[in-house]
Amino acid sequence: MTSYIQELRKLVGHRTLIQCAASVIVVDPQGRLLLGLRSDNNTWCYSGGSVEIDEVVEECAKRELEEEMGLEALNLEFFCVNSGPQAHYIYPNGDEVSNFEIVYICRDYRGEPKCVDNEMKELKFFYPDEISLEMISPPIRPVVKRYKEGIAFQ
């Protein structure tokens, strides 16, 4: 299936697109976050991707989690929206996006993590204190920072 963003890229090249995305932070019973090492920029990230035309945002989040990490989300909790200048990103191939990302947390999932597509080279669970913002993909650093700050007060 050709995605909406891929179709737009044929028309606008590398110009900035507003990209609506849905993402999932998987948290295991020990409180660790599942992150994937991106193939394109060699930084860590949670699962996520572009919402397709007429796709329900929660379904996009679930689809991306299954496509990228091989997990079935059984329950999603809304966490935050990531947007604005800090979510602007230029991919290594030159494509530029202004992200509007809806982020969920998933503690209830089925399956074993595995790299399904070529977007990630490795999957690994991290305790929050093992995660430095420098290791995280730039447009999602504010989300990871917010998550880490939030659990510090629990």
Side-chain angles (χ1 to χ4, degrees):
M1 176 175 81
T2 302
S3 77
Y4 174 66
I5 295 293
Q6 289 173 326
E7 289 296 318
L8 282 178
R9 285 285 170 217
K10 291 176 185 176
L11 300 172
V12 302
H14 297 299
R15 289 183 54 199
T16 305
L17 293 176
I18 294 174
Q19 177 172 256
C20 181
S23 300
V24 180
I25 299 172
V26 172
V27 181
D28 75 0
Q30 292 78 42
R32 300 177 301 170
L33 280 66
L34 179 61
L35 299 177
L37 185 60
R38 292 179 61 98
S39 299
D40 62 354
N41 69 6
N42 216 37
T43 59
W44 294 88
C45 67
Y46 43 73
S47 175
S50 298
V51 177
E52 297 297 333
I53 292 176
D54 293 333
E55 185 174 30
V56 174
V57 174
E58 292 85 354
E59 293 305 313
C60 173
K62 290 177 179 182
R63 174 180 54 77
E64 288 289 337
L65 181 60
E66 191 163 354
E67 288 176 2
E68 294 176 350
M69 297 181 166
L71 297 176
E72 178 187 0
L74 302 176
N75 188 38
L76 296 175
E77 306 164 36
F78 173 78
F79 179 60
C80 71
V81 171
N82 181 30
S83 62
Q86 71 272 5
H88 194 104
Y89 185 64
I90 301 173
Y91 288 94
N93 69 359
D95 289 351
E96 193 164 350
V97 293
S98 176
N99 282 308
F100 179 89
E101 175 191 23
I102 300 146
V103 184
Y104 297 92
I105 294 175
C106 179
R107 292 182 174 87
D108 187 14
Y109 55 89
R110 185 177 8 238
E112 292 298 319
K114 62 181 178 268
C115 294
V116 179
D117 58 20
N118 293 326
E119 289 186 44
M120 297 184 197
K121 300 189 285 187
E122 176 185 355
L123 301 178
K124 182 178 174 183
F125 280 100
F126 292 89
Y127 287 103
D129 62 357
E130 296 176 311
I131 301 169
S132 70
L133 292 180
E134 294 75 30
M135 68 189 270
I136 300 298
S137 188
I140 67 166
R141 286 178 184 162
V143 175
V144 174
K145 180 177 188 252
R146 183 174 178 176
Y147 181 86
K148 288 179 63 163
E149 289 171 349
I151 62 162
F153 297 107
Q154 291 182 0

